Structures are given as C-alpha cells and as structure tokens.
Amino acid sequence: MIRVVIADDHPIVRAGLKALFSIEPDIEVVAEAATPQEALEASVRENPDVVLMDLQFGSGETTTGAGATRTIRALDAAPYVLVLTNYDSDADILGAVEAGASGYLLKDAPPHELINAVRAAAAGESALAPVIASRLMNRMREPRVSLSSREIEVLEQVGAGRTNQEIAGTLFISETTVKSHLAHIFSKLDVASRTAAVSVARQQGILR
Amino acid sequence: MIRVVIADDHPIVRAGLKALFSIEPDIEVVAEAATPQEALEASVRENPDVVLMDLQFGSGETTTGAGATRTIRALDAAPYVLVLTNYDSDADILGAVEAGASGYLLKDAPPHELINAVRAAAAGESALAPVIASRLMNRMREPRVSLSSREIEVLEQVGAGRTNQEIAGTLFISETTVKSHLAHIFSKLDVASRTAAVSVARQQGILR
DNA sequence: CCGGGAGTCGTCCTTTCGGAGGATGGGTGC
DNA sequence: GCACCCATCCTCCGAAAGGACGACTCCCGG
C-alpha cells in the first residue's frame, strides 16, 4: 500500500486527488495539508511513501512549496516528493528538481499519468510529465542561456518596474553594479533594453 | 434537485468538484466537459440548472470560457453560469460578468462557499466570492482607469520590449505620438516608467 | 596553482526616455 | 454649437538608461 500525503492549498484539488486515488486499491491518502508547514508536519507524523506537493501556495505563506520539498527531503527516511503544479516555467522546474523532487507533474495531466507517477515515485523512480520531459530535452539540446541567481534577482526588480537606483537601494549594491548586471543580462538574452529583457525572460519562463 | 454541469479542462478539478457535490443531497452533477464546446453541448443536452465554468482552458481551444458563457446564456431556458477560476484579474471578472455569469468564484475558495454559490445561482441569485466582491467595491469607489484601445496597443508593444521608435514604425505614427500616448498611460496608471506601466497593467489584467 | 566566472565598484560618454507645455483635427454626446 | 475625449504632431530640457572601457575580490575546478 502506497501511503500518500497531499499538500495543496486548494480544497477542490485536494478533494479531486483524494477521489482519484480512492479508486486505486494500492494507494492510500493518509493526510492532507493546506500549507507547506502542514505538509512538513504530516510528513514527520505519518512517514508516508510519497508527498504530492503544490509549488504555489496562497499568499501569506512564509515557506514555498520548493522550500518545503527541500526540508522534507532532508528528513530521515524521507518520502519521495512529487511536485504537482499549474505552470511549467523553467525556473519552477529547475527549482523543484534542485529541491529534491523526484517528479514534476502538471495539474492538467490525465489521471492515469498522475497515478503512474505516484507508483513510480514510490518505487524510487523519477517521473516527469511528457510535456516537462520534452521541455528539458529542448533545454539540453539548445544550451539555454542561464542567468545567475543575482542576475535573476535584478531582473525581477526590473520586471516590477523599478529604476536602477531603486534596485540598487533594495539590493544594497551600487547603481553601477546594477547596470553591470543588466549589461550581462542583455548580452545573455541577446536584447538591447530592460523591457525587452523582461519580455524575453517571461517567454522563456525565467520570470513569472 | 439542482442539476449541475462541470466545465473544466483539469481532470483533477472535475473530480474534486464531483466529490464535493456528491456529499450534498440536493446537488447532482449530470455532465462533465473538458472543453468549452463540450460545455455548450452538455448544456443543450442536459438542460441543467447551473453550469460551473472555468475561464482558462488549455491552449488549442478556439472558444474561451467567457465565449462559452455568452453562448450558453443565449440559449432558451438558459442555465445560470457560475464562473470558477484561478485568477481574479479585473479583465477576467468584467469579461465574465459581461458574458452573463451570475457568479465568480476562485478555485481556492472554501467548499462551503462554493456549495452556497451553486444554491444561490440555482435560485437565480448572484454569488460573488467575498474577495471578488470587495474588489468590485474598490473598483466602484475608485473609478478605474480605462486605457483607450490605442493606448493599450502602444502598451502591448512596450510590454514586448520595443523602443518608442520601433513602436512608431509598426503603428505608423511618429515617435512623438508614441510618447504622448505613453504620457497619458503613465498618468492613468499612476506610474513613472514604461516598465512600471507594464508591471501595473499586468497586475490589473490589462495586459497578458 | 592558475584561469575564469561571478559579483562588486568605478568613470566617461551617448542615446533614450519622460516631463512640461502647447496645438490641431475628428469624433461623440448633450 | 459646445464640451469632451482621442489621436496626432511639435519643442525644450533634465533624468534615466545603456555602452565601453578598466579593475578589484572570491571561489571553484582543472
């Protein structure tokens, strides 16, 4: 029997997952969590085989889904974590994999794909949704520009409409440094202006 | 007995809604639809009391959720349509109301709110999620900025990362005019730069 | 141990953007 | 006909952004 914890802030999604798993004789939902904290507590308490983890939780949460994944994976006899989310942005996928997720599924996936992924995860295998898999393939094939974390940080501020001066202020660096980062970003993304950089970054899933 | 049709492209969400309604003795799910087209067909065939309609359907759909809502509301003995979606952007809300929806709910709403909304809709009443209601109140209180179609056109170009000169070229106007439009946009959105304008416009659902 | 990338800071210079102000013509509504 | 909004165009000017140099740390991997 595969023991599963569901972590998602949408009651509807939790009910849906429970309903889907209730049909499967070898899968049992042992706990539900509406916040990352609850997910961690449930993982410690129930010691499940698999945790289904959403990445986006409602505002007001201190921890993110990725953060919770990282913490859970650091437990003794840690359960496998399957990330289940709406978006397939590169940043999210990479963040999830980095945090130790053994699978990445989209919420519009057909149920059987989900069930298979749970079984695969419980067996210690990796399970990526086909969409995600092909996305990663593309990334490998065409060596994607990768921005450093600092550069992404700067770019996020730009996307929020801040000026270089303001960005310098919030990141505690000089305006010169901000412009330097931006120059690197521009050349990496092959653009000539901040707005174009934001636009391209959005398309490539670097920014949300 | 309230007869309900569920239209959502996520199997998980459909399962969740079905599970939630199965507990209620007076609500019956008579059909599920994974596309706007199926939603219309089911509405004609089953003649339900209420249609639960998602606004976002997977890519590749010709009709949108709002379009399907409009069509369904034009039927003889049309069912009431409850819009159920993830986002609360102004554009979405207004579009849904305009299309004839009698309610607007968010997917992270607590189940009882959802159930109540279905009963209210079946009785011909309007049901807005509290979050949405207060949003509309704010809108009324603070007369919302509305950009002219030309201004939106310019702002889209800005969001795509084009310079004023490029925008002038593609829209066949002088750069001066572009700047003039932008000046109006800035004052309407109460921002000071193009990137901030794009950011605010995105938040308010003016831009995608 | 040395190279190179990342992050930090600087200067000088050019271009672009945005603010302020005004002007014209064409709609639409009352 | 008048008011109002929109789209179009203009000038002048200060501020912001971006390009082109160089240079200093730190740290990782060959």
Side-chain angles (χ1 to χ4, degrees):
Chain A
M1 184 67 92
I2 303 175
R3 306 178 70 247
V4 176
V5 166
I6 296 174
D8 196 302
D9 58 336
H10 293 36
I12 298 174
V13 173
R14 291 201 303 274
L17 291 172
K18 247 177 108 167
L20 289 179
F21 291 141
S22 69
I23 308 173
E24 305 301 318
D26 57 337
I27 301 180
E28 181 189 7
V29 175
V30 294
E32 297 181 30
T35 67
Q37 283 81 4
E38 286 180 30
L40 176 57
E41 290 163 19
S43 298
V44 171
R45 177 168 23 91
E46 302 288 345
N47 189 36
D49 301 299
V50 176
V51 178
L52 268 181
M53 173 75 70
D54 190 10
L55 278 188
Q56 289 84 29
F57 282 90
S59 54
E61 294 304 324
T62 54
T63 322
T64 78
T69 300
R70 202 180 306 275
T71 313
I72 290 175
R73 289 296 297 163
L75 293 176
D76 290 338
Y80 296 106
V81 176
L82 262 184
V83 166
L84 180 69
T85 183
N86 273 315
Y87 308 103
D88 58 347
S89 86
D90 289 6
D92 285 341
I93 299 174
L94 283 189
V97 171
E98 223 178 290
S102 36
Y104 195 102
L105 298 170
L106 293 179
K107 281 190 184 168
D108 56 2
H112 66 87
E113 209 174 272
L114 177 63
I115 305 279
N116 289 340
V118 170
R119 296 210 176 101
E125 301 163 12
S126 293
L128 288 181
V131 194
I132 305 300
S134 61
R135 204 177 226 283
L136 285 182
M137 295 303 286
N138 280 336
R139 145 102 46 136
M140 297 314 231
R141 194 175 306 130
E142 192 175 321
R144 172 71 55 126
V145 292
S146 75
L147 300 185
S148 72
S149 60
R150 193 57 159 172
E151 285 165 348
I152 291 181
E153 220 169 335
V154 170
L155 194 50
E156 278 171 353
Q157 300 276 324
V158 172
R162 306 227 161 80
T163 67
N164 290 346
Q165 209 173 14
E166 288 169 340
I167 298 172
T170 57
L171 296 186
F172 300 108
I173 55 181
S174 86
E175 191 181 344
T176 316
T177 307
V178 174
K179 291 167 85 168
S180 173
H181 285 311
L182 277 175
H184 291 147
I185 294 171
F186 293 165
S187 89
K188 282 184 182 176
L189 296 183
D190 192 30
V191 297
S193 76
R194 56 211 288 109
T195 48
V198 171
S199 166
V200 169
R202 251 185 247 278
Q203 280 178 2
Q204 302 196 351
I206 299 171
L207 284 188
R208 219 167 320 112
Chain B
M1 184 66 92
I2 302 174
R3 306 177 70 247
V4 176
V5 166
I6 296 174
D8 196 303
D9 57 336
H10 294 36
I12 298 174
V13 173
R14 292 201 302 273
L17 292 172
K18 247 177 110 168
L20 290 180
F21 291 141
S22 69
I23 308 172
E24 306 301 319
D26 57 337
I27 299 180
E28 181 188 7
V29 176
V30 295
E32 296 181 30
T35 67
Q37 283 80 6
E38 286 179 30
L40 176 57
E41 290 163 20
S43 298
V44 171
R45 176 167 25 90
E46 301 290 344
N47 190 36
D49 300 300
V50 176
V51 177
L52 268 182
M53 174 75 69
D54 190 11
L55 278 189
Q56 290 85 25
F57 282 90
S59 55
E61 293 305 323
T62 55
T63 322
T64 81
T69 300
R70 203 180 306 275
T71 314
I72 290 175
R73 288 296 298 163
L75 294 175
D76 291 339
Y80 296 106
V81 176
L82 263 186
V83 166
L84 180 69
T85 183
N86 273 314
Y87 308 103
D88 58 347
S89 88
D90 290 4
D92 285 342
I93 300 174
L94 282 189
V97 171
E98 224 178 288
S102 36
Y104 194 102
L105 298 170
L106 293 179
K107 282 187 184 170
D108 55 2
H112 67 86
E113 209 173 89
L114 177 63
I115 306 277
N116 288 342
V118 169
R119 296 211 176 102
E125 302 163 12
S126 294
L128 288 181
V131 193
I132 305 299
S134 61
R135 206 176 226 283
L136 283 183
M137 295 303 285
N138 280 337
R139 146 103 45 134
M140 297 315 232
R141 194 174 306 131
E142 193 174 318
R144 171 60 53 127
V145 292
S146 74
L147 300 186
S148 73
S149 60
R150 194 56 160 172
E151 286 165 346
I152 291 179
E153 218 168 336
V154 170
L155 194 50
E156 279 170 353
Q157 301 276 325
V158 172
R162 306 231 160 79
T163 68
N164 289 347
Q165 206 175 12
E166 288 170 341
I167 298 172
T170 56
L171 295 186
F172 302 108
I173 56 182
S174 90
E175 193 180 342
T176 317
T177 307
V178 174
K179 291 171 75 172
S180 173
H181 285 311
L182 278 175
H184 291 148
I185 294 171
F186 292 164
S187 91
K188 283 184 181 177
L189 296 184
D190 193 29
V191 296
S193 75
R194 55 211 290 110
T195 48
V198 171
S199 167
V200 169
R202 251 185 247 279
Q203 280 179 2
Q204 301 197 351
I206 299 170
L207 284 190
R208 236 164 311 111

